[in-house]
Amino acid sequence: MIQVKFWGVRGSIPCPGPNTMKYGGNTACIELRFPEVNRHIIIDAGSGIRELANSMLKNDLPKGPISTEIYLSHTHWDHIMGFPFFVPAYIPGTTIKVYGPVTYEDEPLEAVVGGQMKYRYFPVNMGDLAGNIEYHRLKEDPHIDLGDGIILSTAIINHPITALGYRFSFRDAVFCTAYDTEPYRNLFITDPEHPDYDELMAYEGEQAAREQNLLLEQFFAGADLLVHDAQYTQEEYENGKIGWGHTSIESAIEAAKRAGVKQLALFHHDPERSDSQLDQMSESYCQGENGRNMELFFAREGQEIIL
Ligand SMILES: [Zn+2]
Ligand SMILES: [Zn+2]
């Protein structure tokens, strides 16, 4: 069994307020619990991790020292900004293993994530953390044995910096993430009227994009729950958001369907998206034909799913 809970579902920046109370205003943070083997995993340390920390202090700390693993999809700020507010890190006896890809600057993860805790940004320095914190760099790897029967595979996804999708398998359950990502596209000129058009290059670009998209679909194929980037509508995407590293809701749904995903959580909502808009979009995207062979929904802060 994998118990999944969403603590933050937004992209880009926290957006609290009366218009986001239902779906929540915190940035990316997902909790996985494996109760049969007593393992605890957090995916991303967006602002949602603060409330998760409060819950762990109340429910887990009384049972003994906290031990958790944090998997970062990438180091954009909306995915790491909550780390300095993860209170268990300040408690002696806590063990935290932080995993993630590093950025193109090739700085260690510790400097990128922990570097937020410098006096210039934050009143507490990283050296003041009392817990035992280890940082591990992750790369693309189809098979990482995490012990206790948990298998992880990672895939590089399409974002302006190195970002990883995660696929956790435990017994019969498969949980998968693919955000922040954008469908691969042909990077060559495809307009035959363009003076620099090259038919062969255009063809090869098309093939390469198709193959990369297929590989990513194979990565999340058959997942019991896929949490996928869905920041924009297709119309928004085509009007100025191409190349920003995010997926349209339409593309996310089509990819998940082709991959035979059982449940699709549309995730990384645009901060401008209000509750009433998300409710309307739920009606238009999640019912009827789209929901025939796959359950799909716009992820909501506080939502829990058992796999
Ligand atoms: Zn993001
Ligand atoms: Zn990002």
Side-chain angles (χ1 to χ4, degrees), residues 12 73-79 159-161 163 179-181 229 244-246 268:
S12 311
S73 59
H74 61 310
T75 55
H76 275 161
W77 203 35
D78 48 328
H79 301 258
H159 204 51
I161 64 165
Y179 67 82
D180 298 0
T181 192
D229 197 310
W244 288 26
H246 297 288
H268 206 274

Coordinates of all heavy atoms in Angstrom, one line a residue, residues 12 73-79 159-161 163 179-181 229 244-246 268, ligand 2:
S12 N 5.0 27.6 -9.6 CA 5.6 28.9 -9.7 C 5.7 29.7 -8.4 O 6.8 30.1 -8.0 CB 4.8 29.8 -10.7 OG 4.7 29.0 -11.9
S73 N 12.2 17.1 -7.5 CA 12.1 17.0 -8.9 C 13.1 17.8 -9.6 O 13.7 17.4 -10.6 CB 10.7 17.4 -9.4 OG 10.4 18.7 -9.1
H74 N 13.4 19.0 -9.1 CA 14.4 19.9 -9.6 C 14.6 21.0 -8.6 O 13.9 21.0 -7.6 CB 14.1 20.4 -11.0 CG 12.9 21.2 -11.2 ND1 11.7 20.8 -10.7 CD2 12.7 22.4 -11.8 CE1 10.8 21.7 -11.0 NE2 11.3 22.7 -11.6
T75 N 15.5 21.9 -8.9 CA 15.8 22.9 -7.9 C 15.2 24.3 -8.2 O 15.6 25.3 -7.6 CB 17.3 23.0 -7.7 OG1 17.9 23.3 -8.9 CG2 17.9 21.7 -7.1
H76 N 14.2 24.4 -9.0 CA 13.5 25.6 -9.2 C 12.8 26.0 -7.8 O 12.5 25.1 -7.0 CB 12.4 25.6 -10.3 CG 13.0 25.8 -11.6 ND1 12.3 25.5 -12.8 CD2 14.1 26.5 -12.0 CE1 13.1 25.9 -13.8 NE2 14.2 26.4 -13.4
W77 N 12.7 27.3 -7.6 CA 12.4 27.7 -6.3 C 11.1 27.2 -5.7 O 11.0 27.0 -4.5 CB 12.5 29.3 -6.2 CG 12.8 29.8 -4.8 CD1 13.6 29.2 -3.9 CD2 12.3 31.0 -4.3 NE1 13.6 29.9 -2.7 CE2 12.8 31.0 -2.9 CE3 11.4 32.0 -4.7 CZ2 12.5 32.1 -2.1 CZ3 11.1 33.0 -3.8 CH2 11.7 33.1 -2.6
D78 N 10.1 27.1 -6.6 CA 8.8 26.7 -6.1 C 8.8 25.2 -5.6 O 7.9 24.8 -4.9 CB 7.7 26.8 -7.1 CG 8.0 26.3 -8.5 OD1 9.2 26.4 -8.9 OD2 7.1 25.8 -9.2
H79 N 9.9 24.5 -5.8 CA 10.1 23.1 -5.4 C 11.0 23.0 -4.2 O 11.1 21.9 -3.7 CB 10.5 22.2 -6.6 CG 9.5 22.3 -7.7 ND1 8.6 21.3 -7.9 CD2 9.2 23.3 -8.6 CE1 7.8 21.7 -8.9 NE2 8.2 22.9 -9.4
H159 N 12.5 20.2 -19.3 CA 12.3 21.5 -18.5 C 13.6 22.3 -18.8 O 14.6 21.7 -19.1 CB 12.2 21.1 -17.0 CG 11.5 22.1 -16.2 ND1 10.3 22.7 -16.6 CD2 11.8 22.7 -15.1 CE1 9.9 23.6 -15.7 NE2 10.8 23.6 -14.8
P160 N 13.5 23.6 -18.6 CA 14.7 24.4 -18.8 C 16.0 24.0 -18.0 O 17.1 24.3 -18.4 CB 14.3 25.8 -18.5 CG 12.8 25.8 -18.7 CD 12.4 24.5 -18.3
I161 N 15.8 23.4 -16.8 CA 17.0 22.8 -16.1 C 16.7 21.4 -15.9 O 15.6 20.9 -16.1 CB 17.3 23.5 -14.8 CG1 16.1 23.3 -13.8 CG2 17.6 25.0 -14.9 CD1 16.5 23.6 -12.3
A163 N 15.5 18.2 -14.7 CA 14.4 17.8 -13.8 C 14.1 16.3 -13.9 O 14.3 15.8 -15.0 CB 13.1 18.6 -14.1
Y179 N 6.5 16.1 -13.7 CA 6.4 17.6 -13.6 C 7.7 18.1 -13.2 O 8.4 17.3 -12.5 CB 5.2 18.1 -12.7 CG 5.5 17.8 -11.3 CD1 6.3 18.6 -10.5 CD2 5.0 16.6 -10.7 CE1 6.6 18.3 -9.2 CE2 5.3 16.3 -9.4 CZ 6.1 17.1 -8.6 OH 6.4 16.8 -7.3
D180 N 8.3 19.2 -13.4 CA 7.8 20.2 -14.4 C 8.3 19.7 -15.8 O 9.5 19.6 -15.9 CB 8.3 21.6 -14.1 CG 7.9 22.1 -12.8 OD1 7.1 21.4 -12.0 OD2 8.3 23.2 -12.4
T181 N 7.4 19.6 -16.7 CA 7.8 19.1 -18.0 C 6.9 19.6 -19.1 O 5.8 20.0 -18.8 CB 7.8 17.5 -18.0 OG1 8.5 17.1 -19.2 CG2 6.5 16.9 -17.9
D229 N 2.3 17.4 -14.9 CA 2.2 18.8 -15.1 C 1.0 19.1 -16.0 O 0.7 18.5 -17.0 CB 3.5 19.2 -15.9 CG 3.8 20.7 -15.8 OD1 2.8 21.5 -16.2 OD2 4.9 21.1 -15.5
W244 N 8.4 27.1 -22.0 CA 8.5 27.5 -20.6 C 8.6 26.3 -19.7 O 8.8 26.4 -18.5 CB 7.3 28.3 -20.2 CG 7.3 29.7 -20.7 CD1 7.9 30.2 -21.9 CD2 6.6 30.9 -20.2 NE1 7.6 31.5 -22.1 CE2 6.9 32.0 -21.0 CE3 5.8 31.1 -19.0 CZ2 6.4 33.2 -20.8 CZ3 5.3 32.4 -18.8 CH2 5.6 33.4 -19.6
G245 N 8.5 25.1 -20.3 CA 8.7 23.9 -19.5 C 7.5 23.3 -18.8 O 7.6 22.5 -17.9
H246 N 6.3 23.6 -19.4 CA 5.1 23.1 -18.8 C 4.2 22.5 -19.9 O 4.3 22.8 -21.0 CB 4.4 24.1 -17.9 CG 5.2 24.5 -16.8 ND1 5.5 23.7 -15.7 CD2 5.9 25.7 -16.5 CE1 6.3 24.3 -14.8 NE2 6.6 25.5 -15.3
H268 N 0.5 21.1 -10.6 CA 1.2 22.4 -10.9 C 0.3 23.4 -11.5 O 0.6 24.0 -12.5 CB 2.4 22.0 -11.8 CG 3.6 23.0 -11.7 ND1 3.7 24.1 -12.4 CD2 4.8 22.9 -11.0 CE1 4.8 24.7 -12.1 NE2 5.5 24.0 -11.3
Ligands
ZN2 ZN 10.4 24.3 -12.8

